[in-house]
Amino acid sequence: MHSTSPSDETFRLLVEAAPNAIVVIDEDGHIILVNSQTEKLFGYSRDELVGRLVEMLVPERFRSTHPGLRAGFFGEARARPMGAGRDLYGLRKDGTEFPVEIGLNPIRTERGMLILSAIVDITERKRAERRFRLAIESAPSGMVMVDQSGQIVLVNSQAEKLFGYTREELIGRPVEMLVPERFRREHPDFRSGFFHDPESRPMGAGRDLYGRRKDGTEFPVEIGLNPIETDEGVLALSAIVDITERKLLERELRLRLEELAAADRQKDEFLATLAHELRNPLAPIRNAMQILKLPAANDHMRLRAQEMIDRQLHHMVRLVDDLLDVSRIIIGRIELRKECFDLSAAVTRAVETAEPLIEARGHELIVSMPPEPITVNADLVRLSQIISNLLTNAAKYTPKPDRIWLSAEQDGNDVILRIRDQGTGIEPSMLGRIFQLFVQADASPTRAQGGLGIGLTLVKQLVELHNGTVTATSEGLGRGSEFIVRFPADTDVGGTLGRPRVSEGPPARERGERRVLIVDDNVDAAESIAMLLQVSGFSVRCVYDGNSALTVASAYHPDVIILDIGLPDISGYDVARRLRAQRDFQRTPIVAVTGYGQQGDRLRSREAGIDFHMTKPVDPNALQALLEVGGVT
């Protein structure tokens, strides 16, 4: 510092022209010079200040807590004397206190060391800082401010909660303490990244990374950075949000999307398979129909064609029935008709159902039953379906003629059924999925087994309706497989549907006198049934809508009415109700022959007064047998 004299008029003029308040004091702490800005700032005149101790401009509370205040003014500049370039408080003549920033300049003169103090009222700045701190404190996210050296200079209470540290433990510490070590190793420029140009998206700015708590746990966070210009340089204000829940939701959503994509692929594969399986029987049916039209076809050829049509038609009906069963299971519409019976009855039925395929493939079925009867309380039809589906599956997936084993035993209160084959086996990766809907071990176009991939799903669902379990085991491809069904022998499951009843209609006439009214908007369906019944000696009339049925019935007086449900004008249910309302038709047997086959459809039929509900395509022999009896429902 150069020497000057306070009596120097030039110096006095410079002090007076300064934009800030200037106070010059000597080594004893006496004020020797002030400018007009000082008079305005503190409310004193020059005469009231000059010659007085500088402590008069500092609040008493500050003097009492800093007894070395005056001496501090004269410390070495390098040691940053008390208040040099620091914030403290001033005291006005009226006793009010206000925040100031003081910058000190030591001056050597002939009179000794003098201190020139530049004093700035920082009330507005302090208010702004206070508002800023309140905003930071009230922020919903954790807020951490870092200086250019990477030291934490400010945190809010949310940051304390988020990381588990107190303010005292964080302020002045390096920001790296809040970041996992592995992340710091991967990003050595992590700290400097806070101060990049915001346009270049510094590392972590609006990005996801990981934070580290005091207890060492790591958690995903999103950090948004805001560089802030201050007198001390650029500071980085980080808004930190715990995104653990968001990450979990994102993971769940990603897994769900993957599941949906897989389900969509399965759906496409299933639709392709369904089209393939439905077209397969249609081809021989069309060929057989052409054979029946050929004049040159002999009786043997016609018989084979008829058998072919019948066989393929049964196959299509089975496909549709399986689809309907899956639909009923999905919406919870399957109810078990339970009864007590010997397990061998279900096994016999199942073998009869699966035997044609087993024999066609050249397999040998070995059935092993215990000598004592096993009494079960179950649904005979559904239990037979479980066993036949597993036998059919074994026959399909045993490519060469071989043996298939079916055994049953009672283990305490449980029944155990085992179906084993020596076929293609199951890959280990498929064992956990084999019972899922539409899943097939071989979904390639060259697969030889056929089917829709729903048979095992039906087995699992039906077994579970019986409070049982089914498992699949296999030693791998080419090693065969075994399916084990276990269910309670004496459980009381499901609901009971009403038993078929016998109509109390009038006695049947002689066959030649029997009149049948067929109501169906499908002309081919109506006329084909009519031809079958006419060949059997029935008198038949056909109509194709509900209102015509009511008109013709009154004039024709049929002995039996075969009624479709889905008619173009009024439903078959309404036709039945209106007929039952008439005295002449209160006891006339009405048979619903319809494509609607859900349990709810059957219940609506009963409520409408329909005696028997048959689903299309109807077995002609079953229909004729029904008409022969004269109204069994």
Side-chain angles (χ1 to χ4, degrees), residues 59-170:
E60 173 62 32
R61 62 182 177 83
F62 192 82
R63 297 198 301 268
S64 62
T65 55
H66 297 83
L69 172 68
R70 187 194 310 169
F73 286 153
F74 295 94
E76 291 293 331
R78 289 179 182 175
R80 293 181 62 85
M82 173 78 63
R86 297 287 178 89
D87 296 351
L88 63 153
Y89 278 85
L91 177 67
R92 291 190 175 95
K93 183 178 180 180
D94 63 7
T96 58
E97 298 179 9
F98 62 105
V100 295
E101 181 183 57
I102 295 183
L104 299 178
N105 291 281
I107 301 174
R108 292 191 177 276
T109 71
E110 295 174 355
R111 296 177 56 183
M113 180 72 73
L114 301 179
I115 293 294
L116 185 147
S117 305
I119 306 171
V120 179
D121 184 350
I122 58 172
T123 300
E124 288 303 318
R125 193 185 80 186
K126 287 293 184 180
R127 286 175 181 166
E129 287 179 358
R130 187 163 54 252
R131 288 194 296 269
F132 176 73
R133 290 179 179 274
L134 287 174
I136 295 298
E137 185 60 32
S138 61
S141 56
M143 305 296 286
V144 176
M145 184 175 282
V146 180
D147 64 19
Q148 291 195 18
S149 68
Q151 304 300 307
I152 299 171
V153 297
L154 177 67
V155 296
N156 67 353
S157 57
Q158 290 298 325
E160 291 180 297
K161 294 177 183 177
L162 192 60
F163 290 96
Y165 291 100
T166 65
R167 282 179 171 83
E168 292 74 21
E169 291 174 313
L170 289 173

Side-chain angles (χ1 to χ4, degrees), residues 181-192:
E181 175 64 30
R182 60 183 178 83
F183 189 83
R184 300 201 298 269
R185 287 197 303 268
E186 294 169 4
H187 301 87
D189 59 343
F190 171 73
R191 183 189 298 182
S192 62

Side-chain angles (χ1 to χ4, degrees), residues 14 82 92 149 188 241 293 412 418 423 460 494 507 520 531-532 539 554 606:
L14 288 174
M82 173 78 63
R92 291 190 175 95
S149 68
V241 179
K293 294 178 183 179
R418 301 177 187 271
K460 181 175 185 294
D520 198 323
M531 286 189 288
L532 289 170
S539 173
S554 298
R606 287 182 178 273

Side-chain angles (χ1 to χ4, degrees), residues 203-238:
M203 169 151 22
R207 298 284 179 86
D208 295 352
L209 62 149
Y210 277 83
R212 181 181 181 277
R213 295 188 177 93
K214 183 178 180 179
D215 62 10
T217 58
E218 299 180 8
F219 62 106
V221 296
E222 181 182 56
I223 291 187
L225 293 179
N226 293 282
I228 297 176
E229 295 283 349
T230 71
D231 294 338
E232 298 177 358
V234 179
L235 301 179
L237 179 63
S238 306

